[in-house]
């Protein structure tokens, strides 16, 4: 028995900073048990057809609907993100669950490839197979969309892997309820026991990553957290992949032609202020650094826009609130000059809101100015010419999203600047702020190190399933021993490549 | 100036053990220069169309043909693998170069996905982009197929990445010549300078992995080597992927029904003895451990077959030769009993050939019996019943290939045993020895940790290109700024997914 059996994970109200309840932390035995039942379910979850797994995911979405009011209230009590936003996010979560089920049924993720069907060479059938139980560490900032049942969990289940979630300390009660609601729905839909598990507590999370039965890890959160889990995974006897989406500073570039349009400066400044304070700035896709043409007045305009918006943030956790103040001090020490700063007034986890500016020369490699300040804080840097801009961009870390504001398709500089942004980012947007991440086939929510630990992987969109499978090549194996994927009659209507030729399903 | 500038990499003749020449090792400056020119070429290599890159690869294949006799002689002098085998391997290499070019032109590896084409939602176009310069560490045992121009190099070039190869110490002169021949061909075909580079020496290899300009590593070789490179890559400021194919013990299971067929025991024993001595047992796909039904007599039959074959190995390196003797001693100490052992007689790097047997109970987790002995050595273990077999299989490490010998599709046990082998392996073969690895669309030459560092990746077959690209999602970006991949007219005839619907090219 370890000491953590004696304490619970407190559930805080960010608006007051007071704990209203605690949730029992998982013992070592409870973690081992969660992994054991997940391992026990793995073969059945893998053997279920994509259509069966889609039915499970749809049942979970329906189960959420039946508890909508309760779940939104609980989420708001633990996150202070507001009922309207959370209601919308719950609807988004339901859409995600349905989407990943549809992607599974479409079947491209299985990568079925058959050689030797007609060529007389040995028959080789390649099929992607589920890795096994996946540990999921959800994010604080999207309690539904990236929470217990979020993108990682839904894509892992869709790909045929049981999931054990580690409850987020920012919303432990919601995490427990989401798992209960989902497990009831899964049971009702015929999914095996052990398809979804939950553990609570930081030590439990570490034990989960170290458990031999866990085959992969999905994580969304801070760089410190993601890298710590990656280290744990690398120390295992059998090293497993850690898909950590850690976020960094997402840059925005405004071209000279873009600010030359009438009203553009105020419009861009207003959009920027709204984008970096959306959700109290607690987005991994928050635009944190805007490059403005020298003399454009965008920095001052952003300060005015922020002042007019007058946000009064309540942050998700005490730690995040403190990190905003600390981050502002560090940014100032690194050469940032505050253009506008407003203190938070809430009795709970208040944080300041601020926009800073800095000279482009200050953006040296390793400078704090190039690191994320998670919260409603952003930096504006003016560039004199393209050489200054490209030099500064070359010193940025990898990021999830980069945005470019240009004067339409005829902007003389835009394509060139886009070419400098692309190597930095998993997604590049033109004329859009980076904050929206649609759950679609073409989405890529990833980005070069250290934005993510596996830049080729995505945690949002159809590609997310590919993280939790590995190919197996079956050579001269009777089709019946492989399964419906290899059946020449193609009963699941899968897209397949046969003797090199791609055949849609 | 470091000390390694003063010494060269010796080129040994394995038949005598004598060094005939040395090749200068690369200085720190030479490594930095190789990376610098590769970085300089990266944009042009990435911007070349797949058809252009195919033309480059075909030119390399033609260049090899023009130097065939010289290259085969040189390879034989440094590896002692024999002119016939090496001539065939050179032809295989040419086929590989052509294959990866064809895969690039087919274009599925680009993963072009377009959302919002007809739906009114924001247009997102996802395209896989090359990572940049790739460091390649080829293998000792296939100087052509996995050498300077082998699978890693060809697939990286096909996917749009320049390559810097580290010459293998087992064939440094061949490495230099292959690079010269290839660079001449690439230049003639219009590829940029810096498309292919070469460095020599162990310190040079370490410096290469640490160079900030290198974006990924491909490696084929020992577990110690692969893990060392992975550690170096993990210590970089920007961590990069290491695709290490390290190999382990590839198991073979023979079912009771299979040995019941007349003549089957001698036929399987003969096939096994040939398979594990092929290429002096220096295959990462060598079958190292055969599970035979108790009382089948397969162990004794294998000993007879090996005695009749009477191989007299000349090993690739002094280290490998010594490791065979050391490995045999260790296997014996771990409970292996030698059934037949024959000493090598060559004046150079001779090694013994041997088959051992062990009790199934000896196959405990962590036992030396479960680890690879690279060379013409194999182990036979008899199993009494399926529980013994499945228990032993559950203790095996991940492997590249597992084989099953069964009595055809009606074998009552085969499908179940295949189900136990599949989680262990990247490829499973029925009725085939594991040693042949066809370069085809359906191939998967990978396997669970520690057989490879990235079990979902393959170093052979069409999937190999996917290791060296990452997706970028272009949101609301004018098509012309993205390139031909996003052109609605699809000038390259690429397979694409448009609004969720897969369209063959």
């Amino acid at each position: 028995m370890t000491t953590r059996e004696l304490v619970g994970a407190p559930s805080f109200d960010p608006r007051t900073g007071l704990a209203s309840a605690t949730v029992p932390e998982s013992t070592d035995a409870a973690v081992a048990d969660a992994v054991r039942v997940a391992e026990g379910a793995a073969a059945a979850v893998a053997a279920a057809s994509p259509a069966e797994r889609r039915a499970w995911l749809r049942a979970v979405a329906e189960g959420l609907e039946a508890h909508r009011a309760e779940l939104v209230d609980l989420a708001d009590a633990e996150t202070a993100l507001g009922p309207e936003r959370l209601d919308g996010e719950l609807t988004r979560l339901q859409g995600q669950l349905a989407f990943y089920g549809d992607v599974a049924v479409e079947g491209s993720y299985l990568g079925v490839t058959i050689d030797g069907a007609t060529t007389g060479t040995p028959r080789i059938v390649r099929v992607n197979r589920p890795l096994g139980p996946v540990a999921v560490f959800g994010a604080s900032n999207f309690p539904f969309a990236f929470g217990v049942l979020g993108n990682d969990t839904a894509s892992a289940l869709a790909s045929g892997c049981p999931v054990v979630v580690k409850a987020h300390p920012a919303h432990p009660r919601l995490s427990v309820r989401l798992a209960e609601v989902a497990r009831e729905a899964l049971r009702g839909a015929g999914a095996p026991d052990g398809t979804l598990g939950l553990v609570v507590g930081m030590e439990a999370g570490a034990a989960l990553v170290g458990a031999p039965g866990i085959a992969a890890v999905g994580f969304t959160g801070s760089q410190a957290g993601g890298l710590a889990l990656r280290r744990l995974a690398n120390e295992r006897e059998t090293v497993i992949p850690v898909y950590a989406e850690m976020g960094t500073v997402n840059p925005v570039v405004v071209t000279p032609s873009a600010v030359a349009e009438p009203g553009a400066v105020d419009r861009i400044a207003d959009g920027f202020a709204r984008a970096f304070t959306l959700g109290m700035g607690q987005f991994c896709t928050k635009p944190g650094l805007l490059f403005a043409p020298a003399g454009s007045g965008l920095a001052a305009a952003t300060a005015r826009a922020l002042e007019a918006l007058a946000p009064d943030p309540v942050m998700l956790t005490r730690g995040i609130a403190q990190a905003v103040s600390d981050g502002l001090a560090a940014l100032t020490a690194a050469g940032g000059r505050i253009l506008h700063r407003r203190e938070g007034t809430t009795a709970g986890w208040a944080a300041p809101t601020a926009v800073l500016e800095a000279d482009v020369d200050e953006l040296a490699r390793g400078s704090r100015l190039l690191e994320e300040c998670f919260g409603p804080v952003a930096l504006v840097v003016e560039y004199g010419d393209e050489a200054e801009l490209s030099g500064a961009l070359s010193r940025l870390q990898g990021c999830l999203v980069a945005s470019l504001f240009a004067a339409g398709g005829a902007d003389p500089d835009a394509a060139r600047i886009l070419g400098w942004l692309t190597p930095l980012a998993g997604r590049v947007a033109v004329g859009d702020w980076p904050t929206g991440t649609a759950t679609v086939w073409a989405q890529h929510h990833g980005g070069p190190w250290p934005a993510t630990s596996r830049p080729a992987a995505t945690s949002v969109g159809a590609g997310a399933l590919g993280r939790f499978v590995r190919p197996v090549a079956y050579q001269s194996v009777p089709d019946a021993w492989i399964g419906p994927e290899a059946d020449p009659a193609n009963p699941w209507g899968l897209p397949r490549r046969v003797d090199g030729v791609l055949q849609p399903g």
Side-chain angles (χ1 to χ4, degrees), chain A:
Chain A
M1 186 180 283
T2 68
T3 54
R4 72 177 187 272
E5 292 178 63
L6 307 173
V7 297
S11 169
F12 287 100
D13 177 353
R15 295 184 176 93
T16 62
L18 302 175
S20 60
T22 61
V23 173
E25 297 199 346
S26 303
T27 61
D28 291 339
V31 175
D33 195 54
V35 175
R36 192 181 50 73
V37 298
E39 285 188 88
V45 173
S49 71
E52 287 175 276
R53 297 196 298 257
R54 176 170 68 178
W56 303 347
L57 292 166
R58 288 179 174 180
V60 172
E62 285 164 23
L64 294 171
E65 192 58 39
H67 299 270
R68 177 179 286 270
E70 174 207 349
L71 292 168
V72 169
D73 283 354
L74 189 47
D76 188 50
E78 288 190 305
T79 68
L81 290 172
E84 190 180 350
R85 138 82 194 264
L86 290 164
D87 190 70
E89 193 187 324
L90 182 53
T91 301
R92 172 181 166 179
L93 172 60
Q94 292 171 307
Q96 290 173 187
L97 290 159
F99 175 78
Y100 292 114
D102 289 342
V103 171
V105 169
E106 191 273 346
S108 283
Y109 86 99
L110 289 165
V112 177
T113 309
I114 301 172
D115 277 309
T118 59
T119 55
T121 52
R123 182 172 173 90
I124 303 183
V125 178
R126 193 186 64 204
V127 182
N128 289 333
R129 296 300 192 192
L131 293 181
V134 173
V136 169
F137 293 71
S140 61
N141 55 346
F142 284 90
F144 293 127
F146 289 85
V148 168
L149 307 174
N151 287 286
D152 281 345
T153 297
S155 56
L157 292 175
S159 68
C161 299
V163 170
V164 182
V165 182
K166 188 260 186 184
H168 199 285
H171 26 77
R173 285 196 295 148
L174 176 66
S175 297
V176 168
R177 265 314 270 150
L178 284 170
E180 286 170 354
V181 168
R183 291 168 76 159
E184 188 187 336
L186 288 167
R187 203 175 300 120
D193 280 351
T195 300
L196 181 72
L198 183 83
V199 301
V200 180
M202 194 156 128
E203 288 179 50
L208 189 61
V209 175
I214 293 296
V217 178
F219 170 88
T220 310
S222 70
Q223 196 168 313
L227 294 183
L229 295 187
R230 191 171 177 278
R231 266 193 304 275
L232 287 175
N234 276 338
E235 288 164 3
R236 293 167 49 111
E237 184 184 336
T238 300
V239 174
I240 57 174
V242 174
Y243 299 101
E245 189 269 86
M246 302 177 282
T248 48
V249 176
N250 303 292
V252 179
V253 175
V254 181
T255 71
S257 302
V259 291
E261 296 178 345
V265 167
D266 285 337
R267 193 176 63 247
I268 294 171
D270 183 64
F272 183 41
R274 290 178 191 277
F276 79 73
T277 60
L278 189 67
M280 322 300 168
Q282 299 167 129
F283 276 35
C284 52
T285 54
K286 183 196 80 173
L289 172 56
L290 183 141
F291 290 94
S296 63
L298 249 174
T302 302
R304 288 194 302 274
L306 182 62
E307 192 168 2
L309 271 180
D312 192 6
V314 183
M315 306 306 283
L316 287 161
T317 70
R318 186 195 308 275
I320 292 173
Q322 186 61 47
V324 177
S325 297
D326 294 349
L328 268 173
L331 291 171
T332 309
R337 300 181 297 277
I338 290 178
L339 296 176
H340 176 73
R341 173 174 175 152
R342 184 179 190 279
E343 299 308 314
T345 67
T346 180
W349 293 330
T353 317
V355 61
L356 301 87
E357 68 176 342
D359 296 336
V360 68
D361 297 340
E362 300 279 357
L363 300 185
R365 201 177 284 275
S367 165
R368 177 65 178 86
L369 295 172
L370 297 179
E371 289 174 21
E372 187 178 25
C373 181
F374 193 73
V377 169
L379 181 67
V380 179
V381 169
E382 293 197 341
Y383 63 93
D385 56 27
E386 289 208 343
E388 266 188 7
L389 176 63
S390 68
L393 292 177
S394 73
R395 293 190 290 276
L396 262 55
Q397 293 186 317
C399 64
L400 293 170
V401 200
S403 282
L404 176 67
F405 283 80
D411 189 308
D413 308 307
R416 197 167 46 252
I417 297 173
L418 190 82
W420 299 331
L421 289 172
T422 305
L424 294 173
R427 174 162 55 98
V428 288
V430 172
D432 283 347
W433 298 99
T435 39
T437 308
T439 308
V440 294
W441 280 90
Q443 190 54 275
H444 185 67
H445 192 58
W449 185 280
T452 68
S453 60
R454 297 248 181 166
T458 183
S459 59
V460 179
L465 274 68
R467 299 175 297 165
F468 303 119
V469 295
R470 71 174 176 95
V472 174
Y474 295 87
Q475 179 178 324
S476 307
V477 175
D479 291 334
W481 300 355
I482 301 173
E485 298 90 340
D487 186 334
N490 196 12
W492 290 352
L494 301 172
R496 307 191 301 182
R497 183 181 300 276
V498 180
D499 286 334
V501 179
L502 190 59
Q503 304 175 344

